[in-house]
Amino acid sequence: MSHEEYMRMAVGLALNGIGHVSPNPMVGAVIVRDGVVIGKGWHQKYGEPHAERNAFADCESKGINCAGADMYVTLEPCCHHGKQPPCTDAVIEHGIKRVFIGSADPNPLVAGKGVKILREHGIEVIEDVLREECDSINDIFFHYITTGLPFVTMKYAMTMDGKIACHTGESKWVTGEESRQDVQYQRLRHSAIMAGVGTVLADDPMLTCRIEGGRDPIRIICDSNLRTPLESNIVRTADRVPTIIATVCTDEEKFRPYRDRGCTILTAAEKNGRLDLNDLMQKLGAMKIDSILLEGGAELNWSALEYGIADRVRAYIAPKIFGGAGAKSPVGGAGADSPDLCYKLVTADIKHFGEDIMIESRVRYVHRDS
């Protein structure tokens, strides 16, 4: 096998950590000697051993001494004490001869220091092996560790004529079962899911992850004036699924019935009579919420773009036409004044889910990007 093939194996291992390691990165590690894989590991859960130590434990469980072997790891080994000791120490102690690294770690506590320490101990380090693939699995971590803000993915399903519902408001279902299953996967991948109170009033959703063995994202409801019904599914299940209601309301008496049912009330700054989404992102980031799947309505989607908080757009497009001049589209608000003032997207991925097409793009903000 080639170096790239071993690294691709490590990427596959890393993905086993989806939904369980945030706000840490997903990392996989493979130990190879004489062309034979002798140990494998991945970061399985936040606060628990990292991929490198799990790979060493795999070797030890089989009675294998891995001295002189090569290690392939998707992210630069850490070199600082956090919830776990430095992985560089483990690599050195186990006598690894060469380390192949996929991604550089932008964490200021690491950022090249891990590579430097390994080289100072006589270990050969080969960087940037399959870097693009390794980077792609940790775009959330890279964003969060460098900005302290959640990585926000705007998700919506629409027809080929750009409708998210019929003119009657009926929207079940725009896309097929395979697309809807992928949405559950995205809910697992993100730490939180966000919707507006309008969505709660219109659809009374659960906003949970329906993948067996998965975990529910933290639910965040943007509700400037605290209109979420106490009998809604969101409030009724707040004792079982972590739920945050973000508001500009400051009336403690209004908070009481929500808190009694298990909701967390988060007061954010007000701007033009509504939630200041930039202030809200700062507060959520401080709560270690590293990523948000935005499943809001057209107005919240437009606000996310206006405030510059949307990092990625994930659009599922069904081969259908609903028509209707009054039928809703994915993004509302005032809209761009001219084509030159639109929000531009850079397409990163296109996939097929049954008959549907999914297009994933990064948002390019002119005021932030050159």
Side-chain angles (χ1 to χ4, degrees), residues 6-230:
Y6 288 126
M7 187 62 78
R8 192 164 285 116
M9 182 185 297
V11 169
L13 291 168
L15 291 172
N16 289 323
I18 285 176
H20 304 289
V21 302
S22 65
N24 279 356
M26 292 184 286
V27 184
V30 175
I31 302 174
V32 179
R33 183 163 52 210
D34 299 326
V36 177
V37 175
I38 59 175
K40 297 185 290 186
W42 66 92
H43 185 27
Q44 299 179 13
K45 189 175 181 181
Y46 177 69
E48 294 186 358
H50 294 176
E52 297 92 327
R53 290 183 180 273
N54 282 332
F56 290 131
D58 184 36
C59 288
E60 291 164 3
S61 71
K62 295 178 286 192
I64 298 175
N65 184 330
C66 51
D70 294 336
M71 171 172 272
Y72 295 80
V73 60
T74 57
L75 184 69
E76 179 182 0
C78 67
C79 55
H80 65 286
H81 283 271
K83 290 185 178 294
Q84 293 292 323
C87 288
T88 49
D89 288 357
V91 173
I92 294 165
E93 290 164 5
H94 284 84
I96 292 295
K97 181 181 179 181
R98 294 189 299 179
V99 176
F100 296 83
I101 294 172
S103 297
D105 191 338
N107 185 342
L109 296 173
V110 185
K113 300 182 184 72
V115 169
K116 182 172 182 290
I117 289 171
L118 294 177
R119 285 176 173 155
E120 287 175 347
H121 285 80
I123 298 171
E124 183 180 355
V125 179
I126 298 89
E127 300 178 76
D128 299 331
V129 178
L130 219 65
R131 178 163 186 169
E132 187 173 338
E133 288 188 36
C134 292
D135 284 354
S136 70
I137 65 174
N138 279 315
D139 49 3
I140 287 173
F141 170 73
F142 294 158
H143 176 86
Y144 180 69
I145 201 67
T146 55
T147 68
L149 301 172
F151 184 95
V152 178
T153 300
M154 180 193 299
K155 187 278 307 180
Y156 54 80
M158 70 179 188
T159 60
M160 284 187 68
D161 60 335
K163 307 298 185 181
I164 61 174
C166 293
H167 71 93
T168 59
E170 182 64 36
S171 62
K172 291 186 178 179
W173 295 102
V174 173
T175 52
E177 178 59 35
E178 292 182 38
S179 290
R180 300 200 298 274
Q181 184 60 28
D182 186 66
V183 170
Q184 300 303 314
Y185 176 83
Q186 297 303 318
R187 289 182 179 184
L188 176 65
R189 186 182 182 193
H190 291 74
S191 296
I193 182 170
M194 178 183 285
V197 66
T199 297
V200 176
L201 293 171
D203 302 331
D204 195 21
M206 286 288 291
L207 303 180
T208 53
C209 177
R210 295 186 289 277
I211 293 179
E212 187 175 351
R215 63 101 185 93
D216 292 322
I218 298 168
R219 301 180 301 197
I220 304 167
I221 306 301
C222 294
D223 185 359
S224 297
N225 300 307
L226 214 56
R227 297 186 293 137
T228 301
L230 295 175

Side-chain angles (χ1 to χ4, degrees), residues 269-326:
E270 177 268 335
K271 188 173 183 179
N272 299 323
R274 307 182 75 173
L275 281 166
D276 183 332
L277 294 182
N278 291 130
D279 182 64
L280 178 58
M281 291 303 111
Q282 292 281 351
K283 287 180 165 64
L284 294 174
M287 297 168 67
K288 293 190 175 181
I289 294 176
D290 68 347
S291 54
I292 295 171
L293 184 63
L294 183 61
E295 292 198 35
E299 296 305 312
L300 184 56
N301 285 345
W302 175 253
S303 293
L305 291 168
E306 276 198 309
Y307 277 91
I309 68 165
D311 299 290
R312 178 167 57 201
V313 174
R314 192 174 180 90
Y316 299 82
I317 305 170
K320 302 174 182 177
I321 292 178
F322 284 176

